[in-house]
Amino acid sequence: MNPHCMNPAGRLFEFLNFVWSQPDQLPASAAWAQYLLPGADKEQATFFKAVGIVLTLPREIRASVALLPPGPFASERLLRALPAAEAALSIAPQLSAVTVSQMKAHYDRGTLADLEMCSELLSHGRPGVGQEIQDEDEPSLDAIRRLANEIQEEATESGLPQEVAALLWRNADAIVRAVDLYRILGQDGVIREFEGLVGSLVTKPAAFSAVQKSSSLREKIQRLSKEIIVLGAACAVPTQLIIEASNFWTAVEPHVTALSTVQP
């Protein structure tokens, strides 16, 4: 998996670099759609949500740079690409009427180089995301999507109470959507939706009980938690959720608290 997806500067770099590589006369809307929704359903709601996420990346970059410890580069240097990048993104309201060439007129290879350097500094010291599952051939993103889809299917077909089925389906669907938008949401977007699933199970007694009674659901959630850790995002899971979830969750890595079999 691309390490640039781990931070907003890298995600913006990859997006603008992709647009830079497209034919000049291609409509900008087509270039954006090819990057934002590759292989996904091209529904308008999903597309415009993705566009909105892209437009927030400069703000996220500024926030991330502000949190960096003192280093060899001043924050102004790390943010040097943003004016040009924001000018390029400003064409968003006119996507259907603008060509790639017109968008590229706002930035250059220097902009891309600055974003790439900023990304490398922001990612320095973070865990990698290039691992694959030890006992399967699927990359973890594919496995996360597959398991979330399986949870959706089981939620609707296993006779669960309607409110529990709806809760599990919504949380699993949110994970699928985050995987679809991984290029601009990154692993943080996937882990946020995973946190939502865990939080629902921890805070909703009916859902907690249903999962505890279903060995199939429990196993899928355990495997999903493993894939999230393989994605390199274990450190993003709130400690309190890990502690409380240990009532029903098996250990998936040595550094994660083992699941207690004690009833809550």
Side-chain angles (χ1 to χ4, degrees):
M1 296 176 190
N2 190 336
H4 285 307
C5 289
M6 296 173 65
N7 69 83
R11 295 194 286 272
L12 185 55
F13 162 74
E14 290 290 349
F15 171 66
L16 291 179
N17 192 46
F18 175 84
V19 173
W20 189 268
S21 71
Q22 298 306 295
D24 283 349
Q25 297 311 309
L26 184 71
S29 57
W32 285 48
Q34 286 177 30
Y35 186 84
L36 299 178
L37 301 174
D41 293 334
K42 302 299 190 295
E43 58 185 46
Q44 282 195 328
T46 303
F47 176 68
F48 286 114
K49 176 182 178 180
V51 170
I53 294 169
V54 170
L55 297 180
T56 67
L57 289 175
R59 183 182 65 200
E60 293 184 26
I61 293 169
R62 289 187 174 92
S64 297
V65 168
L67 295 174
L68 285 174
F73 298 101
S75 60
E76 293 78 8
R77 172 68 178 83
L78 297 178
L79 300 175
R80 189 169 66 180
L82 291 190
E86 288 174 319
L89 298 181
S90 70
I91 62 101
Q94 296 86 35
L95 271 179
S96 60
V98 176
T99 65
V100 164
S101 177
Q102 290 171 297
M103 180 175 170
K104 287 164 61 176
H106 293 290
Y107 68 104
D108 55 26
R109 293 191 181 277
T111 308
L112 297 174
D114 285 340
L115 283 171
E116 186 174 25
M117 184 192 72
C118 184
S119 171
E120 290 170 355
L121 288 174
L122 289 176
S123 291
H124 181 68
R126 292 192 63 176
V129 297
Q131 305 176 65
E132 292 189 348
I133 305 168
Q134 294 293 321
D135 53 355
E136 298 182 36
D137 294 330
E138 288 179 292
S140 58
L141 279 176
D142 290 343
I144 288 169
R145 183 201 302 275
R146 176 179 55 79
L147 287 164
N149 282 329
E150 289 178 7
I151 290 171
Q152 285 181 287
E153 292 173 8
E154 185 150 353
T156 57
E157 298 174 1
S158 59
L160 293 171
Q162 183 177 359
E163 65 276 12
V164 174
L167 180 75
L168 291 173
W169 194 96
R170 285 196 304 271
N171 280 282
D173 186 61
I175 293 172
V176 172
R177 298 289 182 170
V179 171
D180 286 343
L181 298 175
Y182 180 80
R183 284 183 167 190
I184 50 171
L185 282 174
Q187 63 179 23
D188 293 340
V190 178
I191 199 67
R192 277 196 300 270
E193 301 304 342
F194 175 71
E195 290 172 5
L197 172 63
V198 175
S200 294
L201 294 176
V202 169
T203 60
K204 304 290 185 182
F208 182 97
S209 177
V211 170
Q212 200 170 46
K213 291 175 182 176
S214 170
S215 59
S216 178
L217 270 174
R218 198 166 60 243
E219 188 234 352
K220 286 179 174 63
I221 292 172
Q222 291 164 2
R223 288 165 59 196
L224 180 59
S225 67
K226 172 185 175 181
E227 303 309 333
I228 293 292
I229 290 175
V230 170
L231 188 63
C235 60
V237 180
T239 302
Q240 189 58 36
L241 287 186
I242 286 291
I243 293 172
E244 296 190 32
S246 67
N247 288 308
F248 65 89
W249 215 334
T250 59
V252 291
E253 289 291 332
H255 59 278
V256 176
T257 304
L259 168 66
S260 169
T261 57
V262 178
Q263 298 292 319

